[in-house]
């Protein structure tokens, strides 16, 4: 059963564990929505939703919820948080790279053999915020560069094109296609091998033809990217780590 208090729901899982789920009302929410991030599980619900509805919803998704939380290794040692001047390593385009720091007249990211250097003007109170913004912008630019190379080859094959490309951190998805035919991609894909990014792009492009995951949809994916199963498997195996890495680099920044 799930117990209810002012902020949390507790769910007994099929394997005998207890999962705490943060609940949050949202004025524009139209339905119950469950998301899982490296920080835990969250249930967003419309104002006026009865507690019994939330409990039933969590019970229905108990297996999925336990699996997703397991993928994030919630009990594992936290990743080292980003600190100004302290070198670290992280995955970038599928390879482990070094991140170091330097002082310069204006903020920028310099790429060199084996890693990246964050150039930050002299020490100041907003240095961490600047560093986080630099990395986020750099990751987005890498994704846009790859997508701009691949799109011209795919658009004629599907005879359709997205109206826009938006790149930002996504909590649990790798990509989506909205009702206006805009493709959304997870910023964490900059950390994955380019082949995995290509798969997610192809996946969302195929939703321009088929809006569901029927056999017809997967037929389109197979035609455009025969090796899609390999990349899908890779993301399932390594995706949670990438999302945690992105979180500590561009969102979870400490002094």
């Amino acid at each position: 059963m799930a117990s209810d208090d002012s902020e949390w729901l507790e769910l007994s899982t099929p394997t005998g564990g207890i999962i705490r789920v943060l609940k949050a009302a949202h004025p524009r929410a139209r339905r119950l929505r469950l998301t899982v991030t490296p920080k835990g599980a969250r249930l967003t619900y419309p104002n006026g939703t009865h507690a019994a509805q939330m409990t039933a919803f969590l019970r229905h998704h108990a297996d999925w919820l336990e699996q997703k939380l397991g993928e994030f290794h919630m009990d594992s040692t936290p990743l080292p948080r980003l600190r100004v001047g302290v070198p670290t390593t992280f995955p970038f385009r599928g390879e482990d790279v070094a991140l170091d720091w330097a002082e310069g007249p204006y903020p920028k990211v310099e790429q060199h053999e084996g890693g990246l250097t964050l150039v930050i003007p002299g020490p100041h109170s907003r240095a961490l915020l600047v560093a986080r913004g630099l990395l986020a912008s750099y990751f987005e630019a890498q994704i846009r560069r790859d997508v701009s190379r691949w799109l011209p080859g795919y658009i004629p094959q599907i005879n359709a094109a997205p109206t826009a490309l938006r790149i930002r951190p996504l909590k649990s998805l790798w990509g989506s296609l909205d009702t206006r035919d805009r493709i959304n991609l997870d910023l964490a894909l900059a950390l994955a091998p380019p082949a995995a990014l290509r798969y997610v792009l192809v996946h969302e492009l195929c939703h321009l033809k088929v809006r569901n995951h029927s056999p017809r949809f997967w037929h389109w994916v197979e035609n455009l990217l025969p090796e899609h199963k390999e990349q899908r498997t890779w993301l399932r195996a390594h995706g949670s780590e990438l999302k945690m890495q992105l979180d500590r680099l561009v969102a979870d920044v400490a002094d």
Side-chain angles (χ1 to χ4, degrees):
M1 297 180 61
S3 61
D4 188 9
D5 58 33
S6 60
E7 295 183 2
W8 297 89
L9 291 168
E10 288 189 352
L11 175 69
S12 299
T13 70
T15 59
I18 299 293
I19 296 175
R20 300 190 78 219
V21 180
L22 178 67
K23 61 177 185 176
H26 195 290
R28 294 192 298 276
R30 296 183 179 180
R31 59 183 175 84
L32 293 167
R33 183 166 181 261
L34 185 61
T35 56
V36 178
T37 74
K39 296 179 180 179
R42 179 186 181 96
L43 178 67
T44 304
Y45 60 93
N47 285 321
T49 303
H50 195 277
Q53 291 177 267
M54 300 185 212
T55 298
F57 184 81
L58 287 180
R59 283 174 173 165
H60 181 72
H61 292 88
D63 288 332
W64 176 88
L65 183 59
E66 189 171 31
Q67 176 188 343
K68 295 302 291 185
L69 288 171
E71 289 175 2
F72 278 112
H73 307 294
M74 304 303 293
D75 295 328
S76 63
T77 304
L79 293 170
R81 302 171 76 187
L82 189 66
R83 298 179 184 274
V84 172
V86 178
T88 188
T89 59
F90 68 96
F92 179 61
R93 297 178 64 80
E95 302 287 342
D96 287 336
V97 300
L99 176 70
D100 58 16
W101 303 76
E103 186 173 329
Y106 57 89
K108 61 179 178 178
V109 177
E110 293 181 344
Q111 185 171 356
H112 51 82
E113 184 176 355
L116 304 175
T117 297
L118 279 173
V119 180
I120 305 290
H124 56 84
S125 60
R126 295 175 59 84
L128 286 171
L129 182 62
V130 170
R132 179 177 62 185
L134 281 173
L135 286 172
S137 297
Y138 187 77
F139 294 158
E140 179 179 351
Q142 295 298 310
I143 292 176
R144 289 191 180 277
R145 185 189 68 178
D146 286 339
V147 170
S148 67
R149 290 182 11 241
W150 298 331
L151 267 181
Y154 290 127
I155 288 175
Q157 297 184 62
I158 63 173
N159 194 29
T163 58
L165 175 66
R166 299 191 297 182
I167 301 167
R168 64 185 191 278
L170 301 178
K171 291 181 179 180
S172 56
L173 300 175
W174 291 112
S176 66
L177 181 73
D178 67 20
T179 57
R180 298 180 182 179
D181 288 348
R182 296 177 297 192
I183 286 181
N184 301 283
L185 296 178
D186 185 10
L187 189 62
L189 288 166
L191 311 183
L197 168 60
R198 184 192 285 263
Y199 159 67
V200 177
L201 174 66
V202 167
H203 186 112
E204 302 311 326
L205 285 173
C206 289
H207 278 311
L208 290 168
K209 306 300 292 186
V210 184
R211 294 282 174 166
N212 53 46
H213 290 101
S214 65
R216 181 168 169 258
F217 166 79
W218 290 111
H219 179 72
W220 274 101
V221 176
E222 178 74 20
N223 284 342
L224 264 63
L225 195 67
E227 67 273 21
H228 69 93
K229 291 181 181 178
E230 178 183 344
Q231 302 310 321
R232 189 180 181 195
T233 299
W234 191 94
L235 284 171
R236 284 178 172 174
H238 303 282
S240 60
E241 178 189 355
L242 296 189
K243 287 182 179 288
M244 287 189 288
Q245 289 281 0
L246 183 75
D247 186 63
R248 68 131 174 161
L249 292 169
V250 307
D252 191 15
V253 185
D255 290 318

